[in-house]
Amino acid sequence: MPPTSSDASDSGVSGPFPGERLGLPREGPRSVARFGRRLAAISVDWAIAYGLSFVFARNGEGSADATVTLVIFAASQVVFVCLLSGSIGHLVLGIRVVTMSGRWVGILRPLLRTLLLCLVIPAFIWDADQRGLHDRLAGTLLVRR
């Protein structure tokens, strides 16, 4: 049961927390994954994609090919979110992608979510529950494991 406003004032915490409107807990499993975890997770995923691109697809200047890096990043997002409910970075950081109903994300949601994530801007437009526009449009949410 979510805390009431009197519970919040008794604990010294004021105002609603991310996920409260969605019926999610303030912290712990199934609470909304905060910005730091999400940033670290995408950094892990991007580093893996960059490393693979550097090893297997260097451009003429000897560095990783940007297009190949983006394709590897996108493909890994779709595959791992479909199969494991999270990318490698998500899994390492203890977060996962879920639907609002808690069911399997399927294939179309990760495709749409990844397409929007690769456009970058939708990931920086958030609502009060710290859901990026890419998650809102795909009907997904990043929560802690």
Side-chain angles (χ1 to χ4, degrees), residues 3-93:
T4 63
S5 59
S6 63
D7 292 338
S9 62
D10 292 343
S11 66
V13 179
S14 61
F17 57 88
E20 182 176 24
R21 294 179 316 137
L22 304 172
L24 301 175
R26 180 183 297 271
E27 54 191 41
R30 231 175 121 66
S31 64
V32 173
R34 301 302 198 271
F35 178 74
R37 282 181 191 258
R38 294 194 314 253
L39 181 62
I42 199 167
S43 297
V44 167
D45 294 334
W46 194 257
I48 291 169
Y50 183 86
L52 290 172
S53 178
F54 183 79
V55 170
F56 296 110
R58 289 188 199 180
N59 60 22
E61 299 161 2
S63 61
D65 185 279
T67 304
V68 174
T69 302
L70 184 62
V71 168
I72 292 169
F73 173 82
S76 68
Q77 288 289 311
V78 172
V79 168
F80 284 104
V81 170
C82 284
L83 296 177
L84 303 173
S85 296
S87 67
I88 293 171
H90 292 147
L91 299 175
V92 168
L93 274 287

Side-chain angles (χ1 to χ4, degrees), residues 119-138:
L119 294 175
V120 179
I121 299 300
F124 286 104
I125 300 172
W126 299 348
D127 65 9
D129 294 306
Q130 294 186 359
R131 287 177 70 201
L133 183 59
H134 64 298
D135 277 321
R136 285 186 58 102
L137 293 174

Side-chain angles (χ1 to χ4, degrees), residues 30 98-105 109 139-141:
R30 231 175 121 66
V98 297
T99 64
M100 295 305 297
S101 64
R103 294 184 302 196
W104 178 57
V105 293
R109 290 177 199 273
T140 57
L141 176 68

